[in-house]
Structure formats: C-alpha cells, structure tokens
Amino acid sequence: MNYILFDGPVRDALLPFTYTRPVADIRIGILTIREKWEKYLGNTITTITEDYLSEKYPLVELEENVLLNASFLPNPTLVKQIQSLKENEAIFQGEEVIAFYTKESQEEVDLAQYTAIEYEAATLRVEHTWDIFEKNGEAMQADFDLLTKGRKSAPISKTNNLISAENIFLEEGAEVEYSMLNATNGPIYLGKNAKILEGNLIRGGFALCENAVVKMGAKIYGPTTVGPHGKVCGEINNSVIFGYSSKGHDGYLGNSVLGEWCNIGADSNNSNLKNNYDKVRLWDYKTESFARTGLQFCGLMMGDHSKTAINTMFNTGTVIGVNCNIYTPGFPRNFVPSFSWGGATGFTAYLPKKAFEAARVMMARRGVEFDAKEAAILNHVFEVTKKYRKY
C-alpha cells in the first residue's frame, strides 16, 4: 500500500516551523512524525504539502493510496485500524479525519461519501507549536519503546553514574563519559554516534539524536530532545531542538522549540514563566493574534536559520520567525517576523541575499549544501511574510 501524509488544517497553527517543512517533518519525541509512521508501517512515506515545498518534499501518488493526517502520531492500535481500511473508508476522531483509503486523486476526494469509522482510543496530536514541547515526554516514551523493543543497548562506560539504567539506551557508536544519567522519570536515548562529553548532569526523558553532542558541564532536564547533528550546553529544560541547531554555551533554554540551523549565542536566556505567574499567550499565525496557550510555562519558538548574539534575552512566550538575526541588547518584542535583523532597539529587513550567505557558510560547516531548493523555499517565505514586517 502507498501511504501519504498530508498537512491538514493545523498547518498554519504550526508556523513558523511549517514555513520550511511539511507537518510530517516536525520532530517530537525522538523521531519526526514521518519517521514514526514509516517505522510502524514499514514503508517510505511521501507528503502532500504546500506547492512551494513540493520540490524538496515530492509526492508519490499511486493507483491505491491511504492518506494520513500528519498531525496525528501513530500508535499500535491506530496503525492496526489503518491497515484494515478498505476502499472509500475513512477513520475519524470527532470531526477530524485521521486516515482514508482512496483510488481517486486527492482533488476528487469527497469524504462525505466515505464510510466513516470512529477512532475512540487515545492518540497524540500536534495542533499547536507549544504541543511540540508539552507532549514531548509522551511521544519520547512511545518512540523509545518502538526503537528499543527486543534490542540491547550498546555498552555504557563505567565512568558514568546511572540511575534506572534499564531505561538508558545507546545506539552503535554513541559515547558518554563521566556523567550523571538519571532515567527515573523518563528514558534516555543516544542515537548513532551521539556524544555526551564529561561532566554532564542529565535527567530523562532525554533524546540525543544521531551525531549530536552535549558539550561539557550541561544541566539538562527532561523531556528534552536534541535533533541530529545538534550541539548543546548550558541549562536546558523541556525543550525540542530540531536537527543541525546549536545552543553550545551557557545560558538557559526552557519550554522552547528551535527549528533547524539555529544558533543561540553564549549566555543567551529565555524566560519561561511570567513574573505574575499568569498563563502565557503566544503569537498564532493562523489567527494573526496572541493565542491563549493555557500554559504557565512557555518559552521561545524559533524558526529555521535564526540566530542570536551573545547575551540575548527573550521574554516569556516569544515567537521568532525564519531567518532572523537578533543581536542588540534588551528584550525584543514577543513576535519577531521572519527575515528581521536587529533587536530591542528596532529591526530592519534581513534581505535574502545576505541571509543566504550566512546559511551557505553554516550549512557547509556540517557538510550540507545550501542548494536552489532551499533558496527557493526561503525566498517564498520572505515574500509571504512581508505583511508582518513594517520596515
């Protein structure tokens, strides 16, 4: 069977992260949503997404297809129900479609004509940006169980102090020395060739994905995820850092999400709790207003390719768009549009030509080419976000 993940109605609520990727490629837990479905279904899965993303994330549509709502995370019960779908059957949870089996092209589908099957069991769903860190612990445990079932961890050096060692798993080539690992409250997972250097204090759940590094002297509280090729240090609490991003120095990051190719300068900090202990509001691109999160703890949301200078400070519930460069003293406002350059004293437009020069150098350092596909996506983001920039 050919499976296809589609963005669904939550795509705009997940900006700025979905400016540069389909919903399916958001990382939560250990794996991206796409990787989770591929593990469960044993298939390579393509996506239906925005036209400007389709060259980088192409769609493969065959005669028979099962389409999956990418905002829903898989579990054994749901997967079994999906695998039993027949033509013109659809699985719903309330008003939201989770999956449907069709022989028609996506433009011809009329779900009102399908046989509806209600999915009544619990499932995780990513509907808002803050869900990425808020639901990270549950997603991480599910991924840990999926990835380690029936397998044995690579050896863990005896220089470490381990608590609940049965909940710690190292893939081939992973290394950790002279550190404290406490997996009592959640699993600790080190991907292939990941490294935890000496002198770190880590409380699970914690996922350090393939080729990622924890530098010396970090304090990490779970559930926290560091994506492939990431690099972290300092103090981190309940945050998700997508691949190829760095928070490599002292400073605090809490209840936050960083996209890919971000860099947090030394001694930068974010607030995750308001001084009056009130619930946090966060910029919502879907409504173009500040939305109630219902959360008391909510920190920084930063889109791909954004950077901060040393000693940068962020207020509780700050949203930074794609390709921003924050560098002046003081607290910038709680919503910084994509392609902005500046800080508390004011912003100017960060023009693509200049932004791309920095992206090209940063990506080359990790052996990744800044190609025409990436440039086209970011040029599109620059154009569609002009309405937010008043400079």
Side-chain angles (χ1 to χ4, degrees):
M1 180 56 65
N2 186 49
Y3 294 96
I4 301 170
L5 285 155
F6 64 92
D7 284 348
V10 303
R11 187 256 174 186
D12 288 351
L14 292 169
L15 296 169
F17 306 111
T18 48
Y19 272 136
T20 47
R21 63 179 53 75
V23 173
D25 290 282
I26 286 174
R27 187 173 302 277
I28 176 172
I30 301 172
L31 306 167
T32 66
I33 297 172
R34 185 199 301 265
E35 290 168 346
K36 298 177 202 297
W37 281 105
E38 290 180 339
K39 289 283 186 183
Y40 272 103
L41 294 169
N43 289 64
T44 298
I45 300 177
T46 61
T47 52
I48 297 171
T49 188
E50 300 294 302
D51 286 345
Y52 75 93
L53 293 171
S54 60
E55 187 174 357
K56 183 175 179 179
Y57 302 97
L59 166 67
V60 175
E61 192 172 26
L62 302 181
E63 184 177 339
E64 297 179 273
N65 304 286
V66 172
L67 276 77
L68 307 166
N69 186 332
S71 67
F72 287 90
L73 275 55
N75 61 61
T77 303
L78 178 57
V79 168
K80 184 176 181 180
Q81 198 164 339
I82 287 170
Q83 289 174 323
S84 67
L85 276 174
K86 297 179 175 59
E87 184 181 353
N88 292 340
E89 288 185 341
I91 299 172
F92 286 83
Q93 187 168 74
E95 297 296 318
E96 295 295 335
V97 63
I98 298 176
F100 59 95
Y101 182 144
T102 183
K103 290 185 178 179
E104 301 171 308
S105 68
Q106 53 177 304
E107 293 83 4
E108 298 170 340
V109 170
D110 180 5
L111 289 175
Q113 305 302 316
Y114 279 56
T115 300
I117 301 168
E118 183 67 18
Y119 180 75
E120 298 179 347
T123 186
L124 276 178
R125 190 181 184 204
V126 179
E127 300 177 76
H128 307 283
T129 53
W130 57 86
D131 288 341
I132 300 172
F133 72 80
E134 181 70 7
K135 299 178 180 180
N136 194 46
E138 192 173 348
M140 186 183 297
Q141 185 66 62
D143 286 349
F144 184 84
D145 294 343
L146 177 66
L147 291 169
T148 64
K149 184 178 180 180
R151 301 176 62 216
K152 185 177 180 180
S153 171
I156 304 174
S157 170
K158 293 182 179 180
T159 64
N160 300 290
N161 288 324
L162 309 179
I163 303 175
S164 298
E166 68 278 7
N167 293 328
I168 302 173
F169 191 95
L170 275 60
E171 296 285 1
E172 180 184 358
E175 299 176 13
V176 54
E177 297 287 353
Y178 291 97
S179 293
M180 171 71 78
L181 307 180
N182 183 349
T184 301
N185 296 325
I188 294 176
Y189 176 88
L190 275 63
K192 187 176 180 180
N193 298 322
K195 293 183 180 181
I196 298 176
L197 304 185
E198 303 90 316
N200 287 292
L201 304 175
I202 297 175
R203 176 180 284 266
F206 178 63
L208 187 67
C209 297
E210 184 172 341
N211 288 300
V213 177
V214 179
K215 296 172 66 178
M216 293 191 295
K219 295 180 289 186
I220 300 177
Y221 302 83
T224 288
T225 297
V226 179
H229 300 271
K231 186 177 293 185
V232 297
C233 196
E235 185 176 1
I236 304 174
N237 176 45
N238 188 198
S239 295
V240 177
I241 301 173
F242 292 5
Y244 294 96
S245 287
S246 295
K247 185 213 166 296
H249 304 283
D250 285 343
Y252 178 75
L253 183 73
N255 303 95
S256 298
V257 182
L258 305 183
E260 292 186 339
W261 303 109
C262 295
N263 188 72
I264 302 296
D267 291 318
S268 293
N269 296 276
N270 79 277
S271 168
N272 63 342
L273 176 67
K274 298 179 73 170
N275 286 347
N276 62 1
Y277 302 95
D278 199 4
K279 299 294 176 66
V280 179
R281 292 173 180 262
L282 198 70
W283 177 260
D284 186 335
Y285 287 87
K286 187 172 184 178
T287 61
E288 297 191 343
S289 62
F290 285 89
R292 297 178 184 272
T293 66
L295 302 176
Q296 194 172 50
F297 291 90
C298 185
L300 172 67
M301 305 288 155
M302 177 178 280
D304 289 10
H305 291 284
S306 287
K307 317 278 194 294
T308 78
I310 60 172
N311 299 314
T312 304
M313 310 293 283
F314 293 106
N315 277 308
T316 315
T318 295
V319 175
I320 307 294
V322 173
N323 248 315
C324 293
N325 197 313
I326 314 295
Y327 67 90
T328 56
F331 291 87
R333 61 195 185 193
N334 285 42
F335 168 54
V336 178
S338 297
F339 287 88
S340 294
W341 175 284
T345 57
F347 287 94
T348 59
Y350 190 15
L351 297 178
K353 181 179 179 181
K354 190 172 183 180
F356 293 177
E357 289 174 359
R360 187 172 290 108
V361 173
M362 183 179 187
M363 293 175 71
R365 292 177 69 226
R366 303 292 185 90
V368 179
E369 181 186 3
F370 181 81
D371 59 16
K373 294 178 184 178
E374 195 76 14
I377 290 171
L378 294 175
N379 270 316
H380 181 90
V381 175
F382 178 80
E383 294 298 325
V384 299
T385 58
K386 277 184 176 178
K387 63 181 179 179
Y388 300 118
R389 294 188 297 274
K390 308 300 181 185
Y391 30 85

